[in-house]
């Protein structure tokens, strides 16, 4: 009997496994593929994800394998630098190959004690009052208290649950890959500059020795399970640029669409959904992996609390209540960005107007906080502006706040030095620090770093400890 089985060892599943292990939950991750993905798509980790990695002591390892780039130019690729004064110690973008980030997260989960079984696709399950029986592709059956589908856009778990996935089908497919070219770099650069002014949805960029990264619209929408051919890339390059640049010797070729869909529910009884299994959208702005990892961060401690038996009755349901609106917002911003990439005169005019508007700091701030997820505010009821938001990595007497969050516990940050976490001390740490860089007396942080309470009254604090951390010991 496992406590939690996770279907899928992508970034979402691996992050969730690690979060659960921080609370000694018995976790098994079942991954369909026998080997990690071979494509080396570079993804961008945005500010909030970098903060999460810092909160769990993972950032150094990840930074070593990635490339730091300045924040900014995220929204529809509009070329504006980030506004000054972004409220984060990690105000940059980290480009990193997706297989590397998946590997690092999986390694971290295994170090913490998670089991990962590759070549084990989930094909069926039945849930009852006591748990879930999960069936694997070879007919083996496993029993678990909870099952989480982190099995990607075509999630088997979501389909078996019968959860609807409404939205828009793909209207535009894009071809992406790595190839060698048969013409000098200057010729490519010149042609790119000429066409990119009016035609945004393509590029051919150097990527390592002799290798070019190529992105080009597909001729139509087709079955994404079918890998594209080099000839399709050549035809599409000729259609856009008038030449195929002699592309040859592909390292890998892939196809992706711009379907936009959101699961109707994130939980049915003992089965939950996270990451691409719950939401898909075009990759513009580079948000999908970030969103999935942040789902996992939100769900991990709540599911652990449920397993360990101290979760308040409604805690697990706050996962959907908090994360589904965030996904809805991401879906909407990718819809807007997709329109802004159109070469039609109307969207081009809106793009020019938005480019001008972004010269206003507030507009630039608003958009960047949206894409990097540092603007997320969960609805914890009425209260000060900080309530429900994440706390940045402020200075505290032991150094940095995030250094105190590695164990995934709650934290009372107390400038009054007279409050206590009492019977919750097995779940919540207490730091009495009058010097903490806060402009409120005390905050209660959840394990995901969001502010659950602000104040200085012990009774009020106890009520909130009860709300988020259940009955005291
Ligand atoms: C071109 C492109 C560029 C992108 N760039 C970015 C970017 O810059 N930033 C960003 O944040 N996001 C980006 N994304 C999106 C990102 O790749 C996805 O959102 C992310 O991979 C989702 O992670 P996941 O773990 O939820 O799902 P996946 O990565 O799809 O992982 C799901 C896992 O489940 C496994 N699985 C499937 N079915 C089963 C089953 N039945 N049983 C067991 N295992 C199963 C799969 O093999 C897979 O390993 C990009 C996407 C594309 C297409």
């Amino acid at each position: 009997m496992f406590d939690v089985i996770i279907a899928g060892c992508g970034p979402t599943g691996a992050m969730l496994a690690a979060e659960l292990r921080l609370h000694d939950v018995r976790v098994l991750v079942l991954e369909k593929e026998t080997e990690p993905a071979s494509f080396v798509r570079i993804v961008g980790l945005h500010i909030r994800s970098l903060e999460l990695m810092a909160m769990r002591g993972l950032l150094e390892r990840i930074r070593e394998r990635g490339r730091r780039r300045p924040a900014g130019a995220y929204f529809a690729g509009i070329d504006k630098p980030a506004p000054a004064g972004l409220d984060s110690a990690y105000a940059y973008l980290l480009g990193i190959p997706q297989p590397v980030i998946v590997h690092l997260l999986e390694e971290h989960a295994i170090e913490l004690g998670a089991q990962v079984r590759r070549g084990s696709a989930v094909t069926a399950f039945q849930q009852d009052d006591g748990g879930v029986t999960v069936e694997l592709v070879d007919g083996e059956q496993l029993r678990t208290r909870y099952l989480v589908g982190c099995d990607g856009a075509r999630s088997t778990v979501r389909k078996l649950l019968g959860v609807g996935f409404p939205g828009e089908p793909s209207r535009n497919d894009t071809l992406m890959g790595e190839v060698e070219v048969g013409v000098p770099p200057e010729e490519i650069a010149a042609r790119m500059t000429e066409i990119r002014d009016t035609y945004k949805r393509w590029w051919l960029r150097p990527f390592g020795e002799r290798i070019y990264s190529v992105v080009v619209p597909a001729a139509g929408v087709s079955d994404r399970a079918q890998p594209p051919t080099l000839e399709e890339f050549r035809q599409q390059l000729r259609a856009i640029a008038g030449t195929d640049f002699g592309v040859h010797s592909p390292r890998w070729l892939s196809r992706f669409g711009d379907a936009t869909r959101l699961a109707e529910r994130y939980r049915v009884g003992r089965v939950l959904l996270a990451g691409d299994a719950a939401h898909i959208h075009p990759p513009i702005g580079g948000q999908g992996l970030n969103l999935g990892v942040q789902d996992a961060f939100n769900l991990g401690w709540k599911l652990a609390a449920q397993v360990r038996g101290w979760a308040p009755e409604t805690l697990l349901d706050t996962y959907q209540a908090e994360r589904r609106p965030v996904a809805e917002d991401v879906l909407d911003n990718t819809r807007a960005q997709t329109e802004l990439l159109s070469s039609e005169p109307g969207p081009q005019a809106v793009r020019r107007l938005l480019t001008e508007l972004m010269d206003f700091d507030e507009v630039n701030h608003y958009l960047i906080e949206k894409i990097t997820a540092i603007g997320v505010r969960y609805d914890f009821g009425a209260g000060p502006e900080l309530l429900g938001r994440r706390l940045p990595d402020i200075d505290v007497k032991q150094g940095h706040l995030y250094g105190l969050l590695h164990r995934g516990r709650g934290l009372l940050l107390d400038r009054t030095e007279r409050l206590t976490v009492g019977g919750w001390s097995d779940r919540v740490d207490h730091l009495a620090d009058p010097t903490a860089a806060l402009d409120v007396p005390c905050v209660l942080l959840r394990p995901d770093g969001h502010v659950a309470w602000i104040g200085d009254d012990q009774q009020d604090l106890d009520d909130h400890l009860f709300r988020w951390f259940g009955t005291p010991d």
Side-chain angles (χ1 to χ4, degrees):
M1 179 80 163
F2 291 94
D3 293 324
V4 179
I5 287 183
I6 297 171
C9 195
T12 307
M15 186 81 224
L16 180 62
E19 285 298 291
L20 290 165
R21 281 305 303 155
L22 287 176
H23 305 278
D24 266 347
V25 170
R26 288 165 301 172
V27 185
L28 173 66
V29 187
L30 298 170
E31 168 54 50
K32 178 176 75 166
E33 302 295 338
T34 44
E35 297 293 327
S38 58
F39 60 84
V40 282
R41 184 166 73 217
I42 305 287
V43 291
L45 287 183
H46 285 299
I47 299 173
R48 186 55 184 155
S49 298
L50 297 172
E51 290 184 343
L52 303 192
M53 301 305 159
M55 273 190 237
R56 296 299 184 256
L58 281 169
L59 188 57
E60 283 315 310
R61 287 196 210 185
I62 289 173
R63 227 168 10 198
E64 273 170 20
R65 305 288 305 276
R67 186 178 294 177
R68 229 169 122 141
R69 287 195 257 138
Y74 302 141
F75 204 85
I78 293 175
D79 195 11
K80 293 277 172 190
L86 272 182
D87 187 17
S88 175
Y90 311 94
Y92 53 87
L93 178 80
L94 194 79
I96 189 164
Q98 178 151 338
V100 172
I101 184 78
V102 173
H103 170 73
L104 291 173
L105 291 175
E106 181 181 342
E107 184 181 72
H108 172 58
I110 291 171
E111 276 167 15
L112 290 170
Q115 290 181 50
V116 179
R117 272 170 64 173
R118 290 196 161 269
S120 296
V122 171
T123 52
F125 63 82
Q126 298 84 41
Q127 57 171 320
D128 53 56
D129 288 350
V132 188
T133 302
V134 176
E135 195 169 316
L136 307 189
V137 65
D138 60 3
E140 185 183 352
Q141 293 195 338
L142 298 166
R143 188 84 177 142
T144 177
R145 293 171 71 187
Y146 292 89
L147 168 68
V148 189
C150 299
D151 49 347
R154 280 175 251 170
S155 169
T156 303
V157 174
R158 187 191 64 236
K159 288 177 193 154
L160 291 170
L161 266 184
V163 167
F165 202 37
E168 302 96 62
S170 187
R171 289 180 303 165
N172 303 293
D173 275 9
T174 304
L175 309 177
M176 184 179 205
E178 280 173 28
V179 291
E180 292 187 34
V181 293
V183 298
E186 308 79 56
E187 192 177 322
I188 297 172
R191 196 79 191 103
M192 279 236 6
T193 317
E194 236 172 86
I195 307 169
R196 285 266 301 173
D197 271 352
T198 46
Y199 207 92
K200 311 276 178 211
R201 283 186 55 229
W202 81 287
W203 75 61
L204 186 61
R205 289 182 190 144
F207 183 73
E209 211 174 313
R210 297 211 325 267
I211 309 282
Y212 273 70
S213 157
V214 56
V215 166
V216 72
V221 176
S222 27
D223 179 5
R224 240 165 317 287
Q226 279 301 352
T229 61
L230 184 62
E231 191 44 39
E232 282 178 80
F233 279 77
R234 288 186 174 132
Q235 276 172 16
Q236 291 309 102
L237 282 170
R238 283 197 291 265
I240 289 173
T243 163
D244 62 18
F245 302 100
V247 293
H248 63 95
S249 311
R251 298 291 184 278
W252 55 269
L253 302 174
S254 72
R255 177 196 313 277
F256 62 90
D258 63 356
T260 305
R261 297 182 180 279
L262 181 61
E264 276 169 343
R265 300 174 65 181
Y266 279 21
R267 177 187 176 196
V268 179
R270 292 176 171 275
V271 185
L272 297 109
L273 299 170
D276 274 16
H279 38 70
I280 54 167
H281 53 81
I284 179 91
Q287 298 165 92
L289 182 148
N290 288 271
L291 191 60
V293 163
Q294 289 157 25
D295 283 349
F297 216 73
N298 184 285
L299 176 59
W301 70 278
K302 296 174 182 173
L303 190 52
Q306 187 79 13
V307 167
R308 304 230 64 82
W310 59 256
E313 212 180 307
T314 54
L315 185 67
L316 198 50
D317 285 328
T318 65
Y319 165 60
Q320 170 175 320
E322 291 170 8
R323 294 303 300 169
R324 200 169 174 279
V326 174
E328 255 174 332
D329 194 55
V330 170
L331 262 55
D332 259 1
N333 85 47
T334 55
R335 285 184 179 107
Q337 291 184 75
T338 305
E339 291 303 316
L340 293 171
L341 291 182
S342 159
S343 48
E344 294 295 316
Q348 287 275 315
V350 179
R351 186 183 175 94
R352 282 192 294 276
L353 181 62
L354 187 66
T355 308
E356 286 167 26
L357 287 174
M358 283 173 73
D359 285 336
F360 294 93
D361 232 32
E362 268 188 48
V363 175
N364 201 2
H365 242 108
Y366 182 80
L367 293 176
I368 213 159
E369 288 190 355
K370 200 182 254 308
I371 297 229
T372 61
I374 58 173
V376 168
R377 184 183 189 208
Y378 298 140
D379 182 6
F380 295 168
E385 181 51 27
L386 187 60
L387 186 69
R389 291 190 183 276
R390 104 282 185 230
L391 200 62
D393 192 7
I394 58 172
D395 289 340
V396 291
K397 67 181 177 193
Q398 279 106 327
H400 293 285
L401 173 71
Y402 288 2
L404 307 178
L405 301 176
H406 290 188
R407 293 196 298 159
R409 294 156 54 86
L411 177 74
L412 175 68
L413 188 51
D414 173 10
R415 292 181 64 225
T416 69
E417 296 185 289
R418 55 176 175 71
L419 297 181
T420 154
V421 292
W424 287 276
S425 61
D426 61 336
R427 296 149 233 184
V428 182
D429 294 325
H430 180 194
L431 178 70
D433 177 6
T435 66
L438 272 179
D439 50 15
V440 291
C442 299
V443 294
L444 176 64
L445 286 184
R446 305 192 315 184
D448 60 357
H450 280 258
V451 175
W453 173 79
I454 299 167
D456 58 5
D457 177 70
Q458 184 68 53
Q459 183 55 53
D460 195 30
L461 169 63
D462 288 351
D463 292 347
H464 283 81
L465 282 164
F466 184 74
R467 171 179 172 189
W468 293 109
F469 297 98
T471 315
D473 236 13

